[in-house]
Amino acid sequence: MKDTNVSAWSRTMIGFERLEKHERLVNKMADTLGVDLVEEVQRGNLAPSELRNRVFRCVGCDSADACADWLRAHPDGTDGAPEFCRNGKMFADLAARKGV
């Protein structure tokens, strides 16, 4: 008989690991683009629920490895997200607010 508790637990852990991986990518992308996500939430420019949705949007992307490579290639920051970034427009909009 198959132990469904173990397999359900394994699927849940894989899901959490994937979520955490993409959360790190979103945070690193923000840092690389000079966007402080915590500050943006505190200023009301980004709702916490929208930030969560942006992480989920990243989870749905199949370019996570390319993203990680791109981030490693820009250790000193840059002005724009890569073309494949599903959150690129959000980052651009938040970065533009800094100049206001």
Side-chain angles (χ1 to χ4, degrees):
M1 179 173 199
K2 184 177 176 183
D3 186 349
T4 56
N5 290 333
V6 172
S7 61
W9 181 84
S10 296
R11 285 192 304 272
T12 300
M13 289 311 295
I14 290 168
F16 285 143
E17 289 171 6
R18 182 175 171 91
L19 186 62
E20 288 173 350
K21 173 184 178 179
H22 286 269
E23 180 184 19
R24 285 190 302 272
L25 289 172
V26 168
N27 286 323
K28 181 66 174 166
M29 183 66 71
D31 290 345
T32 299
L33 300 174
V35 174
D36 184 334
L37 293 174
V38 172
E39 181 178 336
E40 295 300 329
V41 169
Q42 290 174 342
R43 290 179 183 259
N45 296 330
L46 182 65
S49 61
E50 180 62 21
L51 179 54
R52 180 194 63 229
N53 289 341
R54 293 305 174 150
V55 172
F56 288 140
R57 187 174 171 97
C58 182
V59 168
C61 181
D62 16 341
S63 298
D65 291 337
C67 182
D69 292 343
W70 186 90
L71 289 165
R72 279 191 294 275
H74 296 87
D76 298 322
T78 188
D79 291 334
E83 289 281 325
F84 57 79
C85 182
R86 291 180 166 198
N87 291 311
K89 182 174 178 349
M90 176 205 63
F91 288 124
D93 291 347
L94 290 173
R97 285 183 183 263
K98 287 186 350 185
V100 175

